[in-house]
């Protein structure tokens, strides 16, 4: 029994020795972090991620201390020099110098944390300002895009009113001309006055239509008006709700909704929007390679007018600081070379190989202000880039026709042609 007990003891000691003699893991460029982890007790619940974060923080603090060390030592040296002039013991001066050194190191670390926190706060504020500015820019662009639509709708409504009144106007003008002709009036003068009369009658028809619409709306609102008893009941109910809110200290929901609806941009927000538009306009004016407004850019079956391409280039510059939409556009354009089996374009790139800062943005057909973050992005893209210190732009698209070869992911630069109608207009 005694032999068995000693045998068990020896085996246990041997096993413990094997476990503690296990080789530590290799260092993985974390300043000996793996060795620290291996040396910890197995029961320690600290995770490796936490240790990595601590090691990074320790390295950052060490860097700050190294940068501030010359200044701290100069301060300690000045203090020591001044203290040595007093009759204080050398040991006491040395202790005070060490205490000053530690105090300065702590102050440097505290100031670094404050500066880091302030920098983060400033970065968050800048990001918020960029988001607010982009939101305001999109609101401006939406309003700009609605103006032509409202103008076209108003013109269509006016044309309809004038067409409806045209028969009566023509009859009135004709009768007046016949009367003047019978009276022996001078016909050239009569014709001029007849044209003026026709224009005035058309304006009178529009004015009368506006008055009629206003009268109809007044009748509709009058029909919806409450009776005196209903008005009194509504007023009493509103007074009861007001008293209840005053007792509870609750705000008025109507006022809150009105305030939320009528929130206006501040002067600084308006200035940010203006600055962004001016910066985009400046870059747009420096850009080369854009087609003329009367030209057409074509890639395969897809085409766009020069005006639409220019809208896209301007919007690309306008939203570069804070990309918009689910696709986060403008985004980086990959100027990848064609495959070696592409034929004449093998191993070449759509744009110059020396191009830098390539950004792509959608080209939208039929839109007065281009793509503003919503809706489909279309088939064509404008790519803005820098080459040789100059700003350039190109229209890019996909072409899967057999004549091109390659594959569906290849990009091709658009061919630019001038429309026949535009040429004819120039000669007219």
């Amino acid at each position: 029994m005694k032999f068995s007990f000693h045998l068990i003891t020896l085996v246990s000691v041997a096993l413990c020795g094997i476990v503690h003699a296990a080789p530590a893991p290799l260092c993985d460029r974390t300043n000996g972090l793996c060795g620290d982890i291996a040396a910890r007790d197995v029961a320690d619940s600290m995770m490796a991620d936490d240790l990595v974060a601590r090691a990074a923080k320790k390295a950052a603090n060490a860097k700050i201390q190294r940068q501030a060390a010359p200044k701290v030592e100069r301060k300690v040296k000045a203090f020591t020099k001044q203290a040595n002039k007093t009759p204080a013991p050398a040991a006491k001066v040395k202790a005070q110098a060490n205490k000053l050194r530690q105090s300065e190191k702590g102050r440097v670390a505290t100031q670094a944390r404050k500066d880091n926190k302030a920098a983060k706060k400033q970065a968050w504020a800048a990001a918020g300002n960029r988001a607010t500015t982009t939101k305001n820019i999109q609101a401006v662009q939406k309003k700009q895009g609605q103006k032509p639509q409202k103008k076209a709708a108003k013109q269509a409504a006016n044309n309809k009113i004038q067409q409806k009144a045209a028969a009566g106007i023509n009859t009135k003008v004709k009768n007046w001309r016949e009367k003047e002709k019978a009276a022996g009036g001078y016909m050239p003068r009569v014709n001029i006055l007849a044209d003026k009369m026709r224009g005035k009658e058309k304006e009178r028809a529009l004015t009368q239509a506006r008055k009629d619409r206003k009268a109809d709306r007044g009748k509709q609102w009058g029909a919806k008006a409450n009776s005196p008893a209903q008005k009194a009941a509504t007023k009493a109910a509103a007074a009861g709700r007001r008293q209840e809110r005053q007792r509870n200290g609750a705000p008025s929901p109507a006022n809150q909704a009105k305030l939320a609806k009528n929130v206006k941009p501040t002067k600084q927000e308006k200035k940010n929007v203006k600055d962004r538009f001016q910066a985009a306009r400046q870059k747009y004016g420096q850009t080369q390679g854009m087609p003329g407004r009367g030209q057409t850019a074509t890639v395969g079956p897809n085409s766009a007018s020069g005006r639409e391409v220019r809208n896209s280039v301007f919007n690309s510059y306008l939203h570069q600081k804070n990309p918009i939409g689910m696709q986060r556009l403008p985004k980086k354009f990959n100027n990848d070379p064609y495959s070696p089996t592409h034929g004449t374009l093998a191993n070449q790139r759509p744009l110059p190989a020396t191009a830098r800062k390539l950004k792509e943005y959608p080209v939208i057909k039929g839109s007065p202000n281009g793509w503003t973050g919503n809706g489909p992005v279309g088939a064509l893209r404008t790519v803005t880039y820098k080459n040789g210190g100059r700003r350039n732009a190109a229209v890019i698209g996909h072409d899967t026709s057999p004549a091109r070869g390659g594959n569906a992911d290849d990009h091709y630069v658009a061919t630019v042609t001038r429309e026949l109608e535009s040429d004819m207009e120039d000669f007219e």
Side-chain angles (χ1 to χ4, degrees):
M1 189 69 181
K2 186 176 180 180
F3 174 78
S4 301
F5 177 76
H6 284 294
L7 180 61
I8 293 172
T9 304
L10 290 174
V11 171
S12 300
V13 171
L15 289 175
C16 291
I18 292 172
V19 169
H20 286 285
L26 295 176
C27 181
D28 57 353
R29 297 183 182 178
T30 55
N31 297 326
L33 177 61
C34 292
D36 293 341
I37 295 173
R40 288 180 178 272
D41 195 287
V42 178
D44 193 352
S45 60
M46 189 65 66
M47 300 299 292
D49 291 341
D50 188 26
L51 293 176
V52 171
R54 288 190 178 190
K57 184 177 180 181
K58 185 177 179 181
N61 291 337
K63 184 178 179 181
I64 294 171
Q65 296 293 346
R66 284 196 304 271
Q67 292 175 349
K71 187 176 180 180
V72 171
E73 290 302 325
R74 283 196 300 269
K75 193 168 185 178
V76 172
K77 186 177 180 180
F79 168 79
T80 305
K81 185 178 180 181
Q82 186 68 24
N84 287 334
K85 295 179 181 180
T86 63
K92 184 177 180 180
V93 172
K94 186 176 180 181
Q96 289 178 345
N98 290 334
K99 186 176 181 180
L100 177 62
R101 184 180 289 106
Q102 296 300 325
S103 175
E104 285 298 315
K105 287 183 177 181
R107 188 187 62 79
V108 167
T110 302
Q111 187 61 40
R113 285 194 296 270
K114 289 181 180 180
D115 293 344
N116 189 22
K117 186 176 181 181
K120 287 183 178 180
K121 187 175 181 181
Q122 188 176 4
W124 279 105
N129 290 337
R130 287 198 300 271
T132 303
T133 302
T134 298
K135 184 178 178 181
N136 293 335
I137 287 174
Q138 288 177 299
V140 170
Q141 289 190 303
K142 182 179 180 181
K143 191 173 181 180
Q144 290 174 344
Q146 289 173 346
K147 283 183 180 179
Q149 297 173 357
K150 289 182 179 180
K151 185 177 180 181
K154 183 177 180 180
Q155 187 63 43
N158 291 343
N159 292 339
K160 188 176 181 181
I161 293 169
Q162 291 178 346
Q163 288 174 2
K164 188 176 181 180
I169 292 173
N170 291 334
T171 301
K172 188 174 182 178
V173 173
K174 183 179 178 181
N175 293 337
W176 182 83
R177 288 182 76 259
E178 293 295 336
K179 184 178 178 180
E180 291 293 324
K181 185 177 180 181
Y186 182 57
M187 291 310 296
R189 179 175 176 275
V190 170
N191 292 335
I192 293 173
L193 293 176
D195 291 337
K196 290 184 177 180
M197 182 180 181
R198 185 178 290 105
K200 289 182 178 179
E201 288 297 325
K202 289 182 178 180
E203 291 295 330
R204 186 178 290 110
L206 295 177
T207 303
Q208 188 60 41
R210 285 194 291 269
K211 291 180 179 180
D212 294 342
R213 287 198 301 269
K214 187 175 181 180
D216 291 341
R217 285 196 296 268
K219 290 180 181 179
Q220 293 174 2
W221 283 108
K224 294 179 181 179
N226 293 331
S227 63
Q230 291 174 331
K231 291 180 180 180
T234 302
K235 188 174 181 180
R241 291 193 297 270
R242 191 179 306 111
Q243 293 174 358
E244 183 68 21
R245 287 196 301 271
Q246 289 175 354
R247 283 195 298 268
N248 299 332
S252 170
N255 289 341
Q256 293 296 316
K258 185 177 179 181
L259 290 174
K261 184 178 179 181
N262 295 331
V263 172
K264 295 182 179 179
T266 63
K267 289 185 178 180
Q268 184 61 42
E269 291 174 346
K270 290 181 179 180
K271 183 179 182 302
N272 293 340
V273 172
K274 183 179 178 181
D275 292 345
R276 189 84 72 83
F277 269 98
Q278 288 180 344
R281 181 66 183 87
Q282 183 179 6
K283 294 178 181 178
Y284 172 85
Q286 299 170 351
T287 304
Q288 302 176 353
M290 293 185 293
R293 291 177 176 82
Q295 293 180 319
T296 302
T298 306
V299 181
N302 304 304
S303 63
S305 67
R307 185 179 298 276
E308 293 161 350
V309 171
R310 287 170 173 259
N311 270 346
S312 176
V313 172
F314 181 83
N315 287 338
S316 179
Y317 289 134
L318 187 62
H319 298 291
Q320 270 188 3
K321 283 192 174 181
N322 196 30
I324 59 174
M326 294 294 293
Q327 299 87 346
R328 309 305 299 163
L329 296 168
K331 65 179 182 179
K332 180 181 178 182
F333 174 75
N334 295 321
N335 191 25
D336 297 329
Y338 299 107
S339 64
T341 59
H342 200 284
T344 57
L345 298 177
N347 300 320
Q348 298 183 29
R349 298 177 186 269
L351 299 175
T354 56
R356 297 292 180 267
K357 297 183 179 180
L358 296 91
K359 297 286 184 179
E360 64 174 275
Y361 198 84
V363 181
I364 304 299
K365 291 179 64 65
S367 175
N369 54 352
W371 191 76
T372 56
N374 297 316
V377 294
L380 298 179
R381 302 285 186 274
T382 56
V383 178
T384 57
Y385 60 94
K386 277 190 172 184
N387 188 23
R390 298 179 180 273
R391 297 186 185 276
N392 295 272
V395 182
I396 296 291
H398 299 294
D399 187 2
T400 57
S401 61
R404 288 284 194 180
N407 55 57
D409 295 329
D410 289 334
H411 298 101
Y412 300 96
V413 179
T415 56
V416 178
T417 57
R418 188 166 181 83
E419 296 180 354
L420 180 62
E421 292 80 5
S422 299
D423 285 336
M424 297 302 295
E425 289 175 359
D426 290 344
F427 286 107
E428 290 177 353

